[in-house]
Each structure stands twice: as C-alpha cells, then as structure tokens.
Amino acid sequence: MRTSYTLKVVLVDFTDVNGHAKYKKSDFENMLSGTNYLNSPDDEEAYGSMSYYYETMSQGDVSINAMVLNNSPGGNPEWIHLSHNKNYYKSHYTIFADAENAAIAAGLDVSTGSTTKLVYIYAGNFYLDGLNPRAERGNNRYLMCEQWGGRGSYDNEIDPSITFAHIGIHCHEFGHLLGFNDLYNGAHRIIDWCLMGDGCDLGPDPGYKGSCPAPINPHYRNWQGWISVSNPPVPNSGIDFPYNEYSPTVYVAQSGNDRYFVENRRYRDFSHFLPGHSDGTGGILVWHVRYTHTIDLIEADGSGYGEGGDEGYGDMWPGATNNRNLNDFTIPDDNLWYGGNSNVILHNISDPNETMTAVFGYKWFGDVPIDITWTNEVLIGGNLAVPNGIILTIENGTIVKFDNGWNLTVNGNLTACGTSSSPIFFTSPSHNRQSWGNIYIYSDNNDLEYCTFEYGNWAVKFYGYPSHTSGNVVKHCTFRNNDQALRIENSDVQVENSTLENNRHAFVLINAGNSNGIYLYGNTVQNNDRDGIYASHSTEIGRASCRERV
C-alpha cells in the first residue's frame, strides 16, 4: 500500500552560529523530496532526493513531501533563533525541547502523526553529543545538521570540506521513524553495507558525505512489505539471482528462528559506493537474521567489521577470496545464531554477473562441493552425492537424517567412524522402513565403523559397477528396521562384529567377493523377515562367522 509522508522542516540556529543565507527554502525541500535532485546547492554531485531513495527501496510504496515551515519571504528562510550558543546544546541535550518551544512561539505547527514527521535542522556543521543527529521515534521527529564535511569533520565550522548536507543521514534517521534500528553497534557490526549501519555516509571520495547512501538490507525491506522474498525450491540444481535494485530477487532459507537472505548486488545505483567498489563488479550478499533487529552479514572472507576486520570486496561471494561455498562446516560457517547446525547450504556460487547462480536451500542436497567434516545433526533434503575426488568425513556422535526417500551416493570417499559410546546414526524423522533411500558406494576404501543405519530402503549398498571395488570396511555397525540392510554387488567388503536385525533382508550378496573376497566375521544376524544371507553368483566368502538366527 502506497504511503505518502509529509515531512515538516524547521530550521533553527544559535546565538553564535546562524543559518547560511545562501541556502534557499527550495534547496532543503528539493534535497528531501525533489524529483530530479542531481546537484546540491554547493554544486556537489547528488544521486537523488531522500524521497527518491525511499521510492527506490520500497518499489514506489513510500514517497515524502517535505515543506519548510519557517517564514520564507522571497524563498529565503527566516531561521528560528535558539537562546544558547551551539556548544551549550552539544553539552546539554536540550535542543529538541528548546527547538519545539521556539517553533511554537513563532506560530509554527510542529504536530506530527503516523504519516506526518518532523525534522529540526540546526545551523552549521555536524556536532556530536547533544547535537548528534538522532531520532525520537515516539515523537515522530529527528534532528539533523544544515552542513557536513563528511566523516571526521565534527564540532567545528572552519573545515574547508563543509558543504550543504546530503541525504544520507536524513535517510538513516527517517529509517528510525519507520522502525529500523542501528546496525553499527552490538556484537555483529554492519558498517557500510546498509543504510542503518554507517552506509548512510557513502558517496564519492573524498569525504563520504552521504550523497549515495547504501541500500536498506533485504530483511528490513521485506519486513516493511516493500519487497517479496521467496523460499528456494528444495532440492534444486541452482537458482538464478538477477540484479535489480528497485525490484530485487531475494531468496530466504529458514532454520528454526534463523533466516538467511541471499541477494545479488552490483556496484551501481545506490550500491555504487559499497565496500570494495574499486576492486570488483559485485557479488552475492548473505544476511543472517534472527528475530527483527538481530542482523549480521556473513562475509565470504570471514572478517567483517564486527569480527575485527575491515569491510571490503572480500565480504561478497565469491569476492576477493573466491569463496564459493557456505554451510555449517565451511570457514566462515552459517551456524545458527546461538550455535548448532542451521543445515542451510549455499554452494557453487557463480562468477559475479548481472544474473548469478547458486545452489541454495535448507537441508543438504546436490553435490558435496569440497572436502568436509560433518558433526552434530545433518539433515538431508534431496539426493546428495560425494563426487569423485571429494572426501566426506563424519565424526562420532553425528546424526544424519534423511527425508522422503533421498539417497546418498558416494563416488569419492566416505569415512564415518563413530565410537562405542558415541556412534553415528543414519536415520529418518519417520520411524518406518523405507523412510529414506539408500547409501550407494561406488568407490574403494570407504570406512564405516560404529554406525547405526535404520529405517532405510537399501541402507548401504556397495556397488562395484562399472568397476569392481575393494578395500571397503564395515565394523561394529548396526543395521535395523531397513528393507535391505547391507547389499554388496561386485565389491570386496570386510564386515566385522556388526548386528543386522529386524530388517526384511540382512545380507544381500550379488557377484560379491569375486576379486579379493568378502569377509563376514563375528556378526549377529537375527529377527530378519526373510534372508539372513542371500547370495547370488558370489564366491570367496571368507571367514563367515555369524551368530544367532541366520
């Protein structure tokens, strides 16, 4: 729903610092709500008015109509005079009250409401402390300075860089009136990547005066209802992320109360001066959000401002470090805000372009892109493969949960070694046989120890096609409540001290052991519906020693 805001502007000055006569009423109104604001009154480049900025961020849902309330004969505003000098207000924090009283005494209507906001603009340069620009959300008003020399220019009127203030800080403080919080403080500090950090200061070098403030992060834009976001289909083979500042394509994956927003940014429009703009063309940004105002940027180089590093092109994906994969086990990771696996994956990020692609979603699927070690709880939401040359290691105590009949296919290497006190589980949320699919192993020298496989179809299948496989080991494992517990085809496998129970089939051996042999030793096979050992065209079954019902 389109909302048009009225922004009342009151100009106030001090006993020792007066407003500048060269600035007209129209200069303030054009900067705040003009339709073609491309140059400031001091002839500095501008990138649009504050209203244009918010129209862009909201897809046209928000517009601002600014009007200077001061009497302005001939377009020259008569500034409201406060009763103290400027340093007094820097020290005493009373400018809102004094400005309101002086404005009312001058006959100005400073009332506000849900769609009527107010800004007091004080004369001269940016001062800190009691004159630091700030918003009073409950009173629908904010404070801003007439001029600014940019970052580092505070508390003086003689800096040669001081000129007519640009829109950036106005946009930031107006954002507070709309409900946005500061993002530059707290444990995870976002500085220049968002308007509500210090991105309000961005613009051409030198100075960082705020003529081209950073966009608002996609979570805040979505929270206001300005843009829509989509949940990625899972599984997927890659999602397109086209760039469009006005109407961005943003995907979000949710894990518990944590959400991960992914968008494509290019160094143009209001993203023109984002960190690293001189080093690259753009990339993917990943925002980690918990609740409304707990927001972090997951930097590809693992070193943002909040982590003690600097913001730059390394924050984007793939960025300066060419980092193309993000999950719970990469560096950096995307663990939940308070620890634990999120099971959100962002893999195979493409080169920066107008449309970027990546595999993105909640739960694992697709290809494991790099050597990785799983811990804690890993959720499988689609068919997952370990490609040739990739090593998947699973640590003791890990629980791997499969949904909807999905499979794990191993063409690389799988090493899953639990312990007697901390086994590894391959299971499903649904405790029924065939709740998930199969673990297909097509390669040599895989190691499964102290693992429990339950509720699968063919829980583990060593499959030696097109080439015979060997060197695979299964030790101290439990197979229960599967359709087929352990199927071995054209492969040499050593199975020792394992238990196969309450399955439909226990061992199924097809063309097994035809090279170096299959070894079954010390295993317990019991209470299976049909076969203990089913063998077809299998030879050299060595040291077969099983207990209980076979």
Side-chain angles (χ1 to χ4, degrees), residues 123 126 322 378 457 464 484 550:
F126 189 134
N322 198 32
V378 177
N457 184 27
Q484 295 185 20
V550 178

Side-chain angles (χ1 to χ4, degrees), residues 262 314 513 546:
V262 176
C546 303

Side-chain angles (χ1 to χ4, degrees), residues 124-441:
N125 191 30
F126 189 134
Y127 274 45
L128 298 171
D129 303 320
L131 290 176
N132 200 33
R134 61 189 182 274
E136 291 185 342
R137 190 176 296 167
N139 291 320
N140 294 302
R141 63 189 184 184
Y142 70 91
L143 180 69
M144 181 52 187
C145 47
E146 173 196 22
Q147 297 179 308
W148 191 32
R151 288 181 181 174
S153 176
Y154 308 107
D155 297 344
N156 75 88
E157 307 294 340
I158 61 173
D159 190 325
S161 65
I162 295 172
T163 57
F164 189 77
H166 288 281
I167 67 170
I169 298 176
H170 282 282
C171 293
H172 179 102
E173 301 305 335
F174 194 84
H176 285 309
L177 301 186
L178 298 179
F180 303 149
N181 281 8
D182 286 325
L183 300 180
Y184 53 71
N185 49 24
H188 299 276
R189 301 175 66 185
I190 296 171
I191 304 301
D192 285 342
W193 288 106
C194 179
L195 174 77
M196 300 313 295
D198 281 339
C200 56
D201 299 347
L202 297 187
D205 297 337
Y208 288 96
K209 294 183 177 183
S211 61
C212 187
I216 299 167
N217 71 75
H219 161 61
Y220 271 167
R221 293 176 74 180
N222 174 250
W223 177 56
Q224 287 286 336
W226 296 341
I227 65 170
S228 60
V229 300
S230 302
N231 300 118
V234 173
N236 62 76
S237 59
I239 293 173
D240 288 342
F241 293 89
Y243 172 77
N244 186 314
E245 181 177 68
Y246 185 85
S247 180
T249 297
V250 179
Y251 283 93
V252 59
Q254 182 158 351
S255 178
N257 291 317
D258 292 44
R259 287 172 291 163
Y260 299 80
F261 292 76
V262 176
E263 62 173 340
N264 181 7
R265 289 280 188 93
R266 307 291 288 167
Y267 286 121
R268 64 170 185 265
D269 307 317
F270 283 112
S271 294
H272 189 120
F273 298 101
L274 288 176
H277 64 271
S278 61
D279 300 319
T281 59
I284 291 289
L285 289 184
V286 183
W287 302 86
H288 183 188
V289 177
R290 185 176 176 89
Y291 308 122
T292 301
H293 299 299
T294 307
I295 304 172
D296 185 27
L297 187 70
I298 302 179
E299 299 88 358
D301 61 5
S303 181
Y305 199 88
E307 289 72 33
D310 295 320
E311 294 185 328
Y313 186 51
D315 297 350
M316 283 188 165
W317 300 77
T321 57
N322 198 32
N323 195 346
R324 297 178 185 269
N325 298 290
L326 174 66
N327 57 59
D328 286 305
F329 312 106
T330 53
I331 299 174
D333 61 58
D334 62 2
N335 290 165
L336 296 171
W337 200 275
Y338 296 113
N341 293 353
S342 70
N343 284 286
V344 170
I345 64 168
L346 180 65
H347 291 165
N348 303 324
I349 299 170
S350 69
D351 290 337
N353 212 325
E354 290 299 308
T355 296
M356 297 184 66
T357 60
V359 174
F360 177 52
Y362 172 59
K363 301 185 180 180
W364 284 73
F365 56 90
D367 287 347
V368 177
I370 55 176
D371 293 351
I372 211 81
T373 299
W374 284 353
T375 60
N376 301 319
E377 185 175 75
V378 177
L379 306 179
I380 311 299
N383 288 327
L384 183 67
V386 181
N388 186 34
I390 299 297
I391 300 171
L392 173 60
T393 302
I394 305 178
E395 290 193 352
N396 63 285
T398 301
I399 300 173
V400 182
K401 288 185 177 179
F402 293 81
D403 286 344
N404 300 326
W406 301 121
N407 305 312
L408 172 63
T409 300
V410 179
N411 292 298
N413 182 266
L414 172 62
T415 299
C417 294
T419 65
S420 59
S421 60
S422 185
I424 296 167
F425 281 85
F426 295 85
T427 186
S428 171
S430 177
H431 292 180
N432 299 302
R433 288 181 186 174
Q434 299 180 296
S435 293
W436 57 278
N438 320 295
I439 298 176
Y440 294 111
I441 299 178

